[in-house]
Amino acid sequence: MSARRTLGGKHGTRVVFLTQGIGITPHRSILRYIAHGELPVHTTLIHVGRSGHPFREETRTLATEAYFPEGSGEFKRRVLEVAGRQPDAAYYVAGGLRFHASTLHLLRQLGIKSSAIHHDRLPNYMNKSVITPYHDLTDWRRKRVVR
């Protein structure tokens, strides 16, 4: 399978990683793969986190562009800016449930095609201090099954 296909198919040469907390782990792996293979892919990383940014220095070096906002407002502004410049990129989203839901909602509002959005929600990562641009729209507690 070619790198172009695994990195979003027709959206392959520009990739935007939208990450919250521990969601950096799969994105870091992909960034390392791109760097190791010296693939001609422009990568933008936006990693939001209040309690620090694991792998910050490494991912800053690996990504073509890297941003590390600490709050939801700054995260949303950065996503708006990047999506405005890269509407045809492949978007990869990884993070907790609320972050995942709100980021997908934001990308759809911005007109990013569903075929360009790849996501990995981390259902066991229930960080109550999750940063999300739309925290009021995505209450994971409503969706939990009471047993």
Side-chain angles (χ1 to χ4, degrees), residues 73-91:
E74 186 182 351
F75 172 78
K76 184 177 176 184
R77 281 189 299 279
R78 199 54 86 172
V79 171
L80 293 170
E81 172 194 319
V82 168
R85 287 187 284 120
Q86 301 181 54
D88 295 326
Y91 286 80

Side-chain angles (χ1 to χ4, degrees), residues 54-75:
F55 310 113
R56 182 181 189 139
E57 294 310 312
E58 180 184 10
T59 54
R60 180 190 314 264
T61 302
L62 293 171
T64 309
E65 300 175 59
Y67 306 99
F68 300 93
E70 293 185 9
S72 60
E74 186 182 351
F75 172 78

Side-chain angles (χ1 to χ4, degrees), residues 3-61:
R4 181 175 173 86
R5 185 174 180 113
T6 58
L7 291 172
K10 63 185 174 186
H11 307 280
T13 58
R14 297 183 86 63
V15 178
V16 177
F17 297 102
L18 305 175
T19 302
Q20 178 259 333
I22 196 69
I24 190 62
T25 307
H27 292 171
R28 173 182 170 247
S29 180
I30 296 169
L31 285 166
R32 291 177 79 182
Y33 172 80
I34 292 167
H36 179 72
E38 298 179 5
L39 303 177
V41 179
H42 180 280
T43 57
T44 302
L45 169 68
I46 305 174
H47 179 202
V48 63
R50 286 188 184 133
S51 59
H53 301 277
F55 310 113
R56 182 181 189 139
E57 294 310 312
E58 180 184 10
T59 54
R60 180 190 314 264
T61 302

